[in-house]
Amino acid sequence: GEDVEQSLFLSVREGDSSVINCTYTDSSSTYLYWYKQEPGAGLQLLTYIFSNMDMKQDQRLTVLLNKKDKHLSLRIADTQTGDSAIYFCAERDNYGQNFVFGPGTRLSVLP
Amino acid sequence: DAGVIQSPRHEVTEMGQEVTLRCKPISGHNSLFWYRQTMMRGLELLIYFNNNVPIDDSGMPEDRFSAKMPNASFSTLKIQPSEPRDSAVYFCASAEGGSYNEQFFGPGTRLTVL
């Protein structure tokens, strides 16, 4: 079945860049998403990328997609303490409504 | 719009009791998802509905769990009887039809079964 993998933890210093990585197995994935979950809250969509793109930039966020290697990354420039959260990678194919979420990467931003 | 609404936000119950979690999706959304989140297993999809019809319930852990969507604006997830291992945060999410289909998550219900 489909599988999405992420490293579970990442620590960075405030002001540095964070790079969160994700790998997926479903080659038919059409959309790939990054969600953010702050403590005690639900998930919120940060950004998404369509599978025919290899990069998307939105302010401090840069998403890179390597479709050949089925690798997705999220780069957060100038990481702030408010960026501390769990970041989930998710994929969806073009056929169904179902999302497959990764286990989430807990980002800790150190002062 | 108020977003996806879930109630209660917190529930504490004793083993063996029935628990009902409620969800009101965003108006106009035709897909609804129930997820469970635990430290051990992460975020798991339990069931999802499209146009009030259950499409995939393969994630429902066992017969003690049931979900209904009697109309487009309301869904329930019931656990009967509840067990301590059901303790988790349960999220409801909704999405509208369309190409990129963002899922909007509710705030979750934190369930503790003693």
Side-chain angles (χ1 to χ4, degrees):
Chain A
E2 301 150 359
D3 194 23
V4 178
E5 294 187 353
Q6 302 175 239
S7 53
L8 297 183
F9 301 98
L10 177 66
S11 291
V12 299
R13 295 233 170 253
E14 193 174 9
D16 288 349
S17 291
S18 309
V19 179
I20 303 171
N21 293 303
C22 169
T23 58
Y24 59 97
T25 57
D26 186 1
S27 58
S28 67
S29 292
T30 304
Y31 292 96
L32 295 131
Y33 305 80
W34 284 104
Y35 277 81
K36 178 183 181 182
Q37 184 182 29
E38 295 184 351
L43 280 69
Q44 283 189 301
L45 182 69
L46 268 183
T47 187
Y48 70 95
I49 190 167
F50 188 46
S51 60
N52 69 353
M53 299 166 67
D54 51 22
M55 188 182 94
K56 182 177 181 182
Q57 187 148 6
D58 183 4
Q59 299 182 333
R60 292 191 296 123
L61 305 179
T62 303
V63 178
L64 295 177
L65 175 61
N66 181 329
K67 199 172 178 187
K68 174 175 166 289
D69 295 339
K70 300 193 188 100
H71 182 266
L72 183 73
S73 68
L74 173 69
R75 179 177 181 270
I76 306 173
D78 187 24
T79 312
Q80 303 297 308
T81 54
D83 295 324
S84 294
I86 303 175
Y87 291 81
F88 290 89
C89 170
E91 63 167 354
R92 183 180 76 84
D93 66 31
N94 207 28
Y95 303 107
Q97 302 267 339
N98 191 13
F99 279 46
V100 178
F101 282 87
T105 299
R106 185 179 292 274
L107 174 64
S108 299
V109 182
L110 309 173
Chain B
D1 199 315
V4 176
I5 298 173
Q6 291 187 248
S7 65
R9 292 295 310 277
H10 302 273
E11 176 78 63
V12 180
T13 190
E14 291 186 334
M15 183 173 67
Q17 296 298 306
E18 177 181 297
V19 174
T20 299
L21 311 181
R22 297 173 176 81
C23 176
K24 182 181 187 314
I26 292 172
S27 176
H29 284 189
N30 62 358
S31 296
L32 183 141
F33 306 79
W34 281 103
Y35 291 90
R36 177 172 68 176
Q37 187 179 35
T38 60
M39 287 292 291
M40 292 295 295
R41 300 172 72 97
L43 193 68
E44 300 174 279
L45 176 68
L46 300 177
I47 184 170
Y48 81 91
F49 295 84
N50 193 32
N51 293 322
N52 311 340
V53 175
I55 302 301
D56 184 356
D57 65 355
S58 58
M60 295 285 261
E62 47 199 274
D63 291 346
R64 297 185 297 108
F65 285 68
S66 61
K68 292 183 180 177
M69 192 163 185
N71 57 61
S73 59
F74 183 66
S75 177
T76 59
L77 177 69
K78 186 177 292 188
I79 309 172
Q80 165 65 14
S82 57
E83 296 182 3
R85 60 193 167 117
D86 302 329
S87 297
V89 180
Y90 291 81
F91 288 103
C92 176
S94 70
E96 61 180 331
S99 57
Y100 89 98
N101 249 1
E102 175 185 352
Q103 289 193 10
F104 291 82
F105 280 74
T109 296
R110 182 175 292 277
L111 173 66
T112 303
V113 183
L114 303 173

